[in-house]
Amino acid sequence: MTLAAENPRTFPDMGLADARHILFSDAASSNEKEEARKLLMQGIERDSMAPFYQALCERLGEAPNQALMTKMQDSNKEELTKLEARVEDAKENLGDTEVRDALVAKADYFLQIGDKDKCLEAFEVAYEKTVGAGGRLDNILTVIRGGVFFGDLSVVKKQIDRAEAELEKGGDWERRNKLRVYKGVYLMMVREFAGASKLFLESVATFTAVELLSFKQFVYYLVISCSLACDRKTLKTKVIDSSEVAQAIHETPHLKEYLTYFYTCKYDEFMPHFYHIITSVSKDRYLAKHVRFYARYMRLNVYRQFLAPYKSVTIAAMATAFGVSPQFIDEEVSSFISSGKLQCKIDKVGGTIQSETLDERNVMYREVIKQGDLVLNRIQKLSKVIDMYLVFVGPAAVSSVFLIMSRTADS
């Protein structure tokens, strides 16, 4: 999925990161890889991204175009000379604000040309010169984008923690909302879909993080994470009925049908769209490494949803509902039963699946009984300790202790 950025001159250009991922993706076709290579070269030449080009060629195992590399390096050197002169001029003749702006401009340029190490170093210097929560948060959010662009999750995590600490000192609602989206993307990248879905839902009505994601992409990730992690009520009220989601969900092929048929339990119509969505997930920069996990647990969600109303259902009926073979259903359900994910059993003789799922009230009742037994056991142990104490010190001493405690409480 490529990023149609609403502000194409915001750096880093996430479209280049998407294209780089496609270029190395096993799920991408040769035509998609060729198109990705063209987009990368256009962006590299446009912004004179010599360090980024060098790293890309090393990963590809190809020699860089020396004429192009020399041209870009000369351009980088010339621009950095100007930026360094601006920093020195600001230090000698201007104030702290101008010095900070010059340092940020230099750091931004390192980010623009794809020099990760110098970019992080320059932003750290600019951060130390920045006064005020707003300016510091802008610096941190840019570094988070850089970490996402370069795929360095340790940088992203560190800067998110730093941003949350800064927000405790102050910060406007827009920066808070941006950080929610940034953190949601990070959580999605580390497979914490429940946390990501919660943050995405909180941000959908006030989404402004277009420098990281287009709104089309944001809605895509919201649907992907919520369909896996949210209950049916949340899906209906906060996703399907959301006017903001409705604006963009149709822009991604199969996404609306995927969500709608999942919620309405039309499984035979859901499965073809599920296939296409999984294909898109397998090519996505943030989700590709989780595609097997996502596909498996979405199937588990669907099977749980199907089996919930039944005490017993035939394998043939379930296979018909999903538009697949009985053998496929048998193997799928068996694997989830053996791993403890589905609370049911298969009757091979009768060809049925018998549900053993407890309803929520019974689960809560059993938990209360279990906790009650634990409390009673502790009371019994405490009673034994008190009895032993009475044997050694005598009842008179115990009465004195209780008398002192009661007088203290009265006073």
Side-chain angles (χ1 to χ4, degrees):
M1 181 182 296
T2 58
L3 173 63
E6 296 180 35
N7 182 3
R9 301 315 302 157
T10 299
F11 296 106
D13 185 346
M14 293 299 176
L16 295 181
D18 292 335
R20 180 186 57 196
H21 172 77
I22 290 295
L23 185 61
F24 294 99
S25 172
D26 293 335
S29 66
S30 56
N31 288 338
E32 289 173 324
K33 291 186 177 184
E34 187 60 33
E35 183 63 26
R37 183 185 285 268
K38 290 179 182 178
L39 289 173
L40 280 167
M41 292 309 301
Q42 288 172 4
I44 287 169
E45 293 185 41
R46 178 187 64 218
D47 294 321
S48 297
M49 301 176 70
F52 182 80
Y53 180 51
Q54 180 68 41
L56 183 67
C57 288
E58 289 176 1
R59 188 173 173 186
L60 287 168
E62 300 176 357
N65 183 318
Q66 285 302 322
L68 175 61
M69 178 63 79
T70 301
K71 178 183 175 182
M72 292 191 297
Q73 287 174 336
D74 290 342
S75 177
N76 294 164
K77 184 177 180 180
E78 180 182 352
E79 185 63 26
L80 286 169
T81 300
K82 293 178 183 178
L83 290 168
E84 192 60 44
R86 178 182 169 184
V87 171
E88 293 302 319
D89 179 63
K91 289 180 178 178
E92 294 174 6
N93 305 310
L94 302 173
D96 291 340
T97 300
E98 289 77 13
V99 172
R100 190 278 314 271
D101 291 344
L103 289 171
V104 170
K106 182 180 177 181
D108 280 336
Y109 187 71
F110 282 127
L111 185 58
Q112 175 183 333
I113 64 176
D115 192 329
K116 175 186 171 183
D117 294 336
K118 290 183 179 179
C119 159
L120 295 177
E121 181 182 345
F123 271 113
E124 189 63 30
V125 173
Y127 178 84
E128 296 299 329
K129 292 290 185 179
T130 303
V131 178
R136 289 190 166 214
L137 281 168
D138 287 339
N139 180 298
I140 294 168
L141 291 174
T142 304
V143 177
I144 293 173
R145 292 201 307 275
V148 171
F149 179 84
F150 294 112
D152 191 332
L153 293 180
S154 62
V155 169
V156 176
K157 179 64 169 66
K158 177 183 176 181
Q159 296 301 320
I160 287 174
D161 292 342
R162 177 184 269 186
E164 290 176 335
E166 286 292 339
L167 279 173
E168 293 180 1
K169 305 173 187 176
D172 58 35
W173 70 268
E174 183 176 0
R175 292 184 177 94
R176 289 179 183 273
N177 287 337
K178 284 179 181 290
L179 183 60
R180 285 196 193 100
V181 177
Y182 285 41
K183 187 174 181 179
V185 170
Y186 167 74
L187 291 177
M188 187 174 61
M189 292 173 73
V190 297
R191 201 185 283 182
E192 294 185 22
F193 289 102
S197 64
K198 180 180 178 181
L199 292 172
F200 288 156
L201 288 173
E202 291 175 356
S203 308
V204 65
T206 54
F207 175 80
T208 57
V210 294
E211 68 282 355
L212 181 67
L213 303 168
S214 69
F215 190 63
K216 171 188 173 181
Q217 279 185 306
F218 175 75
V219 169
Y220 173 80
Y221 294 131
L222 183 146
V223 171
I224 291 296
S225 58
C226 288
S227 60
L228 182 69
C230 294
D231 57 36
R232 287 176 57 79
K233 181 180 178 181
T234 303
L235 275 180
K236 177 62 175 173
T237 58
K238 296 187 177 182
V239 183
I240 295 174
D241 291 344
S242 168
S243 58
E244 291 83 8
V245 172
Q247 293 175 15
I249 192 171
H250 63 278
E251 295 179 18
T252 301
H254 306 284
L255 189 62
K256 183 177 181 180
E257 296 83 359
Y258 167 78
L259 177 62
T260 302
Y261 292 139
F262 171 60
Y263 179 78
T264 57
C265 305
K266 296 180 179 179
Y267 304 112
D268 57 334
E269 297 184 69
F270 165 81
M271 292 300 282
H273 297 289
F274 176 62
Y275 168 80
H276 288 290
I277 291 298
I278 291 302
T279 300
S280 71
V281 168
S282 69
K283 299 176 184 178
D284 186 87
R285 179 161 60 100
Y286 303 128
L287 297 172
K289 62 183 178 181
H290 307 308
V291 62
R292 290 174 63 87
F293 172 89
Y294 186 83
R296 178 172 174 79
Y297 276 82
M298 270 308 299
R299 296 199 311 273
L300 176 60
N301 279 355
V302 173
Y303 297 151
R304 282 175 173 167
Q305 185 172 272
F306 176 85
L307 292 170
Y310 299 103
K311 281 291 185 181
S312 177
V313 64
T314 66
I315 295 175
M318 187 171 177
T320 301
F322 283 91
V324 296
S325 68
Q327 181 182 0
F328 177 83
I329 290 294
D330 190 350
E331 293 174 354
E332 280 275 276
V333 174
S334 296
S335 69
F336 285 120
I337 292 173
S338 63
S339 61
K341 303 297 183 183
L342 277 178
Q343 302 302 315
C344 56
K345 60 183 180 181
I346 296 178
D347 180 358
K348 286 285 189 178
V349 176
T352 61
I353 301 172
Q354 298 175 2
S355 177
E356 297 180 339
T357 304
L358 297 173
D359 61 37
E360 186 176 356
R361 180 178 297 179
N362 284 334
V363 172
M364 292 176 64
Y365 174 77
R366 291 191 177 189
E367 186 63 25
V368 168
I369 295 298
K370 180 180 178 181
Q371 295 300 326
D373 288 341
L374 291 175
V375 172
L376 288 174
N377 288 335
R378 290 176 181 175
I379 291 173
Q380 290 173 355
K381 290 180 181 178
L382 179 60
S383 176
K384 292 179 181 179
V385 171
I386 293 173
D387 290 342
M388 292 174 64
Y389 186 72
L390 286 172
V391 170
F392 285 105
V393 303
V398 176
S399 299
S400 300
V401 171
F402 279 113
L403 180 60
I404 294 170
M405 291 173 63
S406 63
R407 288 177 177 175
T408 305
D410 292 338
S411 61

